[in-house]
Amino acid sequence: MSEQQGFDLVLAGGTVLDPASGLNQRSDVAITGSKIAAIGVDLPRDGAQVIDCSGSTVVPGLVEGHSHIFEQVSKVGAPADEAHLRRGVVAVADAGTAGASTFDAFRRLVVDGNAMRVTNFLNVSVLGLIDFRFGELLNPETLVVDDALATAAANPDVVRGFKIRLSEDVVGEHWQMLLKKSVDLAEQAGLPLMVHIGETEEPVPTVLEHLRAGDIVAHCYTGKPNGILEDGKVFAEVMAARERGVLFDSAHGKSNLSFVVAKQAIEQGFLPDILSSDTSARNWHGPVFDLVTSISKLHALGAPLDECIRRATIVPAELLGLDKEGYGRLEVGGRANVTVLTETSEVVLPDASGNTITAPRFEPTTVLHDGALVETVAWRGGQSA
Ligand SMILES: [Zn+2]
């Protein structure tokens, strides 16, 4: 910045928390155009728009590692920008809503049709997840390896992995054959496989035997049968899988976050690698609401805030290859994607298993998308404690 020309905008006096850059201190963040121009204490404000962030936490624009946003085609699709960008998320991965046969529509409607950066885990079934009432792999012939590989190869900017939902009502009795085929195809494409657990036919350790370093287990805090706990303890096989590089994704969803499971796991030091909401049309008006509410819940259960933010910014950004595009961190000269989180008074927050906690939650009070102020929307919950 030259001395003659001030910043466009200064986010003033917040606690800047960026795990990727190791920042956790009171600072101003100055923006010029679409870039971060400076980060520091008492930056000059002459001529700049100033937003007072004192008492708030200034974090990189959030990256959602697991969502369902194929609104016009899938019954589970939530509106992408409405449910994410306007609640502080600047980049997202759709987790298997589109399959090879619906991908072109996904690209046109969701990837091109929203301001956010959209990537996906392509469903291994060509059908994708159109309607949760009908498992997309009940007919195992819908896993067409060549179609999945061709779609991934033709769309490397979007397809960053594959997804298989392994619940019994999706895969029937063929789970093992379908999982093996899915791992093989992911291997051929050089991409990770995300595996949805909760109500799998076999316990998690049996599923984990099939997974490679970099593959992802979604719904790690599910309260459904065959989760990560055995008699209240995280399975040794789960710890061993993490040790060899298998990743775990919290993916709240309509039915896959149990505060009881999450609390026990967090107490044992088992945080998710990726903190995601699994937002969908079935849950964005509750119990999930949005990613910041999922962060609020795990933080309330004992996960340190910096660890939560890491898992909703730089970790998913790296997993999705979006760090190379400047997502997931705050740095001078980098994209001005910034979310300002302000803690509210206590509210009642539900999980997906019928439990509630009373805790403060974070509200994205200011959201910048490539330097532009996003028109945020109010929280969709609203029950005060
Ligand atoms: Zn999901």
Side-chain angles (χ1 to χ4, degrees):
M1 185 203 86
S2 70
E3 278 183 31
Q4 293 77 21
Q5 196 185 354
F7 304 120
D8 292 340
L9 173 67
V10 177
L11 302 173
T15 298
V16 177
L17 173 57
D18 176 21
S21 310
L23 289 171
N24 190 358
Q25 66 210 42
R26 196 165 180 276
S27 280
D28 297 339
V29 177
I31 284 91
T32 297
S34 63
K35 305 285 187 205
I36 294 176
I39 301 174
V41 180
D42 296 331
L43 295 175
R45 297 170 188 192
D46 314 338
Q49 180 184 355
V50 177
I51 297 177
D52 180 10
C53 297
S54 48
S56 298
T57 307
V58 179
V59 304
L62 299 174
V63 179
E64 165 76 81
H66 184 148
S67 191
H68 296 278
I69 48 176
F70 199 0
E71 192 186 12
Q72 295 92 332
V73 172
S74 167
K75 277 183 85 86
V76 307
D81 280 349
E82 185 73 14
H84 290 90
L85 183 59
R86 299 181 72 187
R87 298 290 300 160
V89 175
V90 296
V92 63
D94 180 277
T97 321
S101 296
T102 59
F103 184 85
D104 287 349
F106 180 78
R107 175 147 208 140
R108 184 171 301 185
L109 297 171
V110 185
V111 179
D112 299 342
N114 286 282
M116 258 189 321
R117 176 71 167 99
V118 177
T119 61
N120 89 332
F121 290 91
L122 185 73
N123 200 306
V124 294
S125 165
V126 294
L127 304 179
L129 173 50
I130 296 277
D131 188 321
F132 57 86
R133 293 173 296 179
F134 309 103
E136 63 268 24
L137 286 166
L138 287 178
N139 176 351
E141 302 294 317
T142 69
L143 197 169
V144 183
V145 170
D146 288 348
D147 287 17
L149 289 175
T151 301
N155 299 278
D157 56 328
V158 177
V159 180
R160 296 292 159 93
F162 298 94
K163 171 83 181 282
I164 181 170
R165 295 197 305 137
L166 214 61
S167 302
E168 266 188 294
D169 66 335
V170 180
V171 288
E173 68 207 34
H174 305 286
W175 78 270
Q176 200 146 10
M177 176 273 283
L178 290 166
L179 180 56
K180 280 186 176 147
K181 258 183 141 169
S182 300
V183 173
D184 284 352
L185 91 83
E187 178 74 24
Q188 280 189 64
L191 291 170
L193 176 68
M194 178 186 280
V195 178
H196 157 133
I197 63 160
E199 295 186 319
T200 49
E201 186 174 314
E202 299 284 335
V204 166
T206 313
V207 174
L208 289 172
E209 286 170 16
H210 296 273
L211 302 187
R212 309 160 299 159
D215 289 336
I216 304 137
V217 175
H219 309 304
C220 66
Y221 293 156
T222 184
K224 288 185 170 185
N226 288 333
I228 63 164
L229 300 183
E230 183 184 45
D231 302 327
K233 285 260 179 303
V234 178
F235 274 111
E237 290 91 338
V238 168
M239 297 306 245
R242 163 166 284 179
E243 214 33 54
R244 65 181 175 83
V246 175
L247 303 171
F248 293 82
D249 164 26
S250 58
H252 183 323
K254 181 169 185 284
S255 35
N256 287 299
L257 174 68
S258 157
F259 286 153
V260 178
V261 173
K263 190 162 192 297
Q264 286 176 306
I266 290 168
E267 278 168 9
Q268 291 163 51
F270 191 87
L271 299 181
D273 296 284
I274 295 136
L275 199 171
S276 69
S277 69
D278 193 11
T279 289
S280 76
R282 304 174 71 200
N283 64 43
W284 72 300
H285 289 281
V288 170
F289 303 112
D290 47 42
L291 180 56
V292 282
T293 308
S294 292
I295 292 170
S296 306
K297 290 173 182 179
L298 296 195
H299 180 50
L301 292 173
L305 184 59
D306 59 332
E307 295 299 335
C308 292
I309 297 302
R310 179 191 304 280
R311 289 156 167 79
T313 53
I314 190 63
V315 177
E318 286 176 351
L319 173 71
L320 298 167
L322 295 177
D323 58 321
K324 298 182 191 75
E325 299 175 24
Y327 291 95
R329 65 167 69 237
L330 299 174
E331 62 186 345
V332 175
R335 308 174 81 128
N337 288 320
V338 190
T339 295
V340 179
L341 300 174
T342 304
E343 211 166 32
T344 69
S345 55
E346 291 193 330
V347 291
V348 175
L349 298 171
D351 69 0
S353 301
N355 309 298
T356 60
I357 49 173
T358 301
R361 69 178 176 81
F362 292 105
E363 177 64 18
T365 42
T366 297
V367 178
L368 291 181
H369 183 220
D370 286 333
L373 279 163
V374 173
E375 195 181 325
T376 56
V377 287
W379 191 50
R380 298 183 183 86
Q383 191 190 1
S384 291

